[in-house]
Amino acid sequence: MNLIESLRQLIPDTDRVTANETIRNQHSQDISSYHQPHQPDAVVYPKTNTEVSQIIAFAHQHNIPLVPFGVGTSVEGQVIPVKGGISLNLTMMNNILDIRPNDFLVKVQPGVTRKQLNLALKEHGLFFPVDPGADATLGGMAATNASGTTAVRYGTMRQQVLGLETVLADGRTIHTGGLAVKSSAGYNLTGLFVGSEGTLGIITELTLRVYGIPEWTLAARAVFPDVGAASNAAAAMRMCALPLDRIELVDTRTIQVVNQFKQTTFQEAPTLFLEFSGTRQAVEHDFTLAQQLLQEEGSLDIAYDTDTKARNELWTARHEAALAFTASAPGKRLLSTDVCVPLSALPSAIVNARQAIDEAGLDGGLLGHVGDGNYHAALLIDPTNPDELTRAQHVNEQIVHYALSQGGTCTGEHGIGLGKAKFLKQEHGDNAVQLMQAIKQLLDPTDILNPGKIFLP
């Protein structure tokens, strides 16, 4: 009996077990990255925890690689099945199981997307804050410890996940955490699985924090003569403890491709996108102070808006910057760096990254969540051009090495996947990485769960 026939013994619905070439190709790559695609042997769409458990137990018994898949918006190759096997697409597990407004929490299946959740929460006056830009699944966001534009105020996924239901590599199910906002009972298993990129277990249910929708929100953008001045302004606002919801840096090249892609008319210069929320009186007070700081740091122009539609358009333009870059050069792929540095090192790190891109002669821009020191260089490359790929990888290494030299990290939110594995020992040291590998060996001794990720062979 072949693989497809065996899987259909577990899931008789033939539409949910397939070896269709087009579908396998869709599951061979992530949204836009330069990593080499690799097709799975089968794609399976479970609907319940029981089905996930049965599939994993089958894969464990027959030593078949298994890779979880949401909507494929990761950018470090996490969903690429480099050793073939089964791509486990969790998008049919998309039920919101419980909304508890008085406890400010929800329970969801992993295939629920952040926009789907926020639509359901709106009638309760609540929202889920983590916003990586793409309409990613919450299971995938937890697996990579995603963050995004609002992390400066609300933190990353690790701060939002109160509990998990997770299926281990042998098919057993465990429950971590609970409904309480804190606990000191035993090891923090929830924190272990958040950010593990599907290498330790498959998440089948999440309990998440949610928050009240603010009374008043103001979005603004401030234009600067150069990226150094813009990053200095970002650091200044954070050092003054301004309660910002978002503070994003976008450089000139990024503004140019966004204007072309979205037909916007933003001034083509380094820009900070800002957002404040709270009571109207508090927001107006905070923005007045912010304007003073921005002007002191050399801002050339400051514009703001409180209209919901205008604010959404502004953040849509920022969120689609990566797509704008890809659309600007058909046939090319995106290499996106993802370092995070201490705030005091941010201005010099931004300038260093811009110089590295220019010296390499590559087309690329800088953007990122500079309020918490996390920024990206988006580099357009032809992955079939060895010289261009080598230059891009060299820029990536320069940016990472500089971040690590300042006490930063090689990845603030994208995860390790395939692209950052070579930096893990440099950041954490041999002993820490050996401990991580021992945890992987303990929980997945046959290495069937997302093999080839996080650690170098």
Side-chain angles (χ1 to χ4, degrees), residues 119-130:
L119 188 63
L121 289 174
K122 189 173 182 180
E123 65 180 274
H124 300 281
L126 300 171
F127 80 110
F128 181 71
V130 181

Side-chain angles (χ1 to χ4, degrees), residues 1 19 77 95 108 186 212 215 233 238 262 389:
M1 188 180 297
N95 293 313
V108 300
E215 171 193 320
R238 292 289 287 130
K262 296 293 295 181
L389 181 59

Side-chain angles (χ1 to χ4, degrees), residues 74-299:
S74 59
V75 296
E76 285 295 356
Q78 283 94 343
V79 299
I80 299 175
V82 292
K83 296 188 178 181
I86 300 167
S87 182
L88 194 68
N89 187 309
L90 299 165
T91 54
M92 288 189 179
M93 295 181 67
N94 63 346
N95 293 313
I96 298 171
L97 303 172
D98 192 12
I99 298 176
R100 302 180 61 151
N102 294 334
D103 293 321
F104 292 92
L105 63 83
V106 297
K107 283 189 174 184
V108 300
Q109 289 185 307
V112 174
T113 67
R114 65 176 187 87
K115 289 183 179 179
Q116 176 190 349
L117 177 59
N118 276 323
L119 188 63
L121 289 174
K122 189 173 182 180
E123 65 180 274
H124 300 281
L126 300 171
F127 80 110
F128 181 71
V130 181
D131 179 6
D135 190 20
T137 61
L138 294 164
M141 288 167 61
T144 56
N145 189 32
S147 56
T149 60
T150 58
V152 64
R153 178 163 183 171
Y154 295 99
T156 69
M157 280 297 290
R158 190 166 273 124
Q159 282 75 56
Q160 317 309 325
V161 182
L162 294 173
L164 294 171
E165 178 184 83
T166 304
V167 181
L168 302 178
D170 59 4
R172 290 179 298 158
T173 297
I174 64 167
H175 294 84
T176 71
L179 302 181
V181 296
K182 64 179 182 178
S183 171
S184 295
Y187 297 136
N188 184 359
L189 296 179
T190 302
L192 176 64
F193 285 100
V194 175
S196 63
E197 304 184 27
T199 62
L200 302 180
I202 305 299
I203 296 168
T204 53
E205 186 179 302
L206 306 93
T207 302
L208 302 170
R209 298 175 188 264
V210 294
Y211 300 79
I213 296 174
E215 171 193 320
W216 190 258
T217 302
L218 181 149
R221 52 189 176 83
V223 177
F224 290 86
D226 55 66
V227 291
S231 54
N232 280 331
M237 282 186 288
R238 292 289 287 130
M239 290 174 185
C240 287
L242 276 173
L244 290 149
D245 283 13
R246 316 186 204 214
I247 176 168
E248 299 285 303
L249 171 67
V250 180
D251 75 352
T252 303
R253 180 59 183 141
T254 307
I255 291 286
Q256 289 171 347
V257 296
V258 166
N259 277 344
Q260 182 180 3
F261 183 66
K262 296 293 295 181
Q263 299 300 300
T264 47
T265 57
F266 297 130
Q267 186 175 337
E268 294 182 351
T271 302
L272 288 180
F273 289 76
L274 313 168
E275 187 168 279
F276 303 80
S277 70
T279 65
R280 181 167 184 169
Q281 183 179 11
V283 168
E284 289 175 345
H285 173 271
D286 294 336
F287 183 57
T288 298
L289 178 56
Q291 285 178 298
Q292 295 173 1
L293 290 170
L294 293 167
Q295 289 166 353
E296 289 173 5
E297 295 297 336
S299 176

Side-chain angles (χ1 to χ4, degrees), residues 168-169 189 192-193 196 199-201 431-445 455:
L168 302 178
L189 296 179
L192 176 64
F193 285 100
S196 63
T199 62
L200 302 180
N431 291 340
V433 172
Q434 287 169 10
L435 178 59
M436 293 180 198
Q437 290 173 315
I439 293 170
K440 166 70 171 173
Q441 175 66 24
L442 175 67
L443 293 178
D444 183 19
F455 309 110

